[in-house]
Amino acid sequence: AQSVTQLDSHVSVSEGTPVLLRCNYSSSYSPSLFWYVQHPNKGLQLLLKYTSAATLVKGINGFEAEFKKSETSFHLTKPSAHMSDAAEYFCVVSDREGLVGGFKTIFGAGTRLFVKA
Amino acid sequence: DSGVTQTPKHLITATGQRVTLRCSPRSGDLSVYWYQQSLDQGLQFLIQYYNGEERAKGNILERFSAQQFPDLHSELNLSSLELGDSALYFCASSPSGGSTDTQYFGPGTRLTVL
């Protein structure tokens, strides 16, 4: 069965400093991994996704994530935080339920990013 | 704007009642997903439809049901409502319903059960 663990419920950084949001997953097959962002009172928007191509994935707004199978991790990074990055970030795994089953989408608990001026 | 619309935006009702939430997917998307977001449970996948057929089921209660119509819009029916059903309900759509699809989320329907 698949699962997602976001290791930090809150992360606080200063504007202009690097961002690291950590995500570990567990999956039985070949998962697809996503990061979504949710700004206050808004729906979710895709930042980036990994679907078994390049392990370093670049997304929107300067974010990127690296898929590390040996560590079962998919951490999200950004070199320099901006005030507009303050939001909730969700790591997501999507994988088959079995050899003939459909697939399920599992969301992590979310990491709230605070950016200080 | 993701192109996914949800109505109503807000819904306030009483325990024991039944409500229907509606979702229109992005133009061309065949798959629709429903999620529940609450403070204690986080974002929970409820159910997925693809071209009118149920594709995957998550943590959906028996009191809840959904369907996708021939025009591809979807409705989520919640019955015998309890206080704990108060949450933000999101609909998402994707082109083909596969595990690599990007899901495009609507703005959500906030349900308050009093």
Side-chain angles (χ1 to χ4, degrees):
Chain A
Q2 54 269 50
S3 67
V4 181
T5 302
Q6 291 186 243
L7 296 159
D8 306 291
S9 59
H10 297 87
V11 168
S12 183
V13 301
S14 297
E15 194 175 22
T17 64
V19 175
L20 169 64
L21 305 184
R22 299 181 295 165
C23 172
N24 286 113
Y25 71 92
S26 117
S27 174
S28 303
Y29 297 95
S30 298
S32 297
L33 294 160
F34 306 77
W35 277 98
Y36 283 84
V37 61
Q38 184 179 26
H39 287 93
N41 301 313
K42 294 278 175 77
L44 285 84
Q45 180 187 19
L46 178 74
L47 275 179
L48 48 81
K49 67 178 178 181
Y50 166 79
T51 59
S52 79
T55 56
L56 182 62
V57 182
K58 293 189 185 299
I60 62 171
N61 301 333
F63 285 94
E64 62 182 42
E66 187 171 7
F67 173 70
K68 290 188 177 179
K69 189 172 181 178
S70 59
E71 298 175 13
T72 60
S73 69
F74 191 56
H75 301 333
L76 181 71
T77 60
K78 181 173 180 177
S80 175
H82 191 271
M83 296 296 286
S84 61
D85 295 327
E88 182 114 28
Y89 291 78
F90 294 93
C91 182
V92 182
V93 63
S94 181
D95 199 0
R96 287 160 53 196
E97 290 196 276
L99 288 176
V100 294
F103 74 92
K104 269 193 182 173
T105 303
I106 308 292
F107 277 72
T111 297
R112 185 162 294 278
L113 176 64
F114 297 93
V115 182
K116 299 173 288 187
Chain B
D1 183 3
S2 67
V4 177
T5 59
Q6 289 186 249
T7 56
K9 236 180 162 173
H10 301 277
L11 201 46
I12 301 175
T13 188
T15 53
Q17 295 298 305
R18 173 189 168 95
V19 297
T20 298
L21 313 184
R22 184 189 162 99
C23 169
S24 292
R26 287 188 330 152
S27 177
D29 284 357
L30 297 178
S31 196
V32 168
Y33 311 74
W34 285 98
Y35 294 89
Q36 179 194 58
Q37 185 177 35
S38 61
L39 281 173
D40 54 342
Q41 302 266 31
L43 251 170
Q44 300 280 319
F45 165 68
L46 295 178
I47 198 164
Q48 179 202 1
Y49 281 82
Y50 173 76
N51 206 21
E53 300 287 327
E54 182 182 306
R55 172 68 72 88
K57 218 167 188 175
N59 301 322
I60 188 165
L61 299 172
E62 282 193 17
R63 300 184 285 109
F64 296 0
S65 65
Q67 54 183 323
Q68 185 180 27
F69 294 87
D71 67 352
L72 301 177
H73 92 271
S74 178
E75 292 181 357
L76 178 67
N77 300 295
L78 316 175
S79 61
S80 304
L81 284 168
E82 302 175 359
L83 296 177
D85 298 327
S86 296
L88 196 48
Y89 290 84
F90 285 108
C91 165
S93 73
S94 77
S96 63
S99 64
T100 61
D101 269 13
T102 295
Q103 294 181 33
Y104 297 88
F105 283 77
T109 292
R110 184 168 293 282
L111 173 66
T112 303
V113 183
L114 300 174

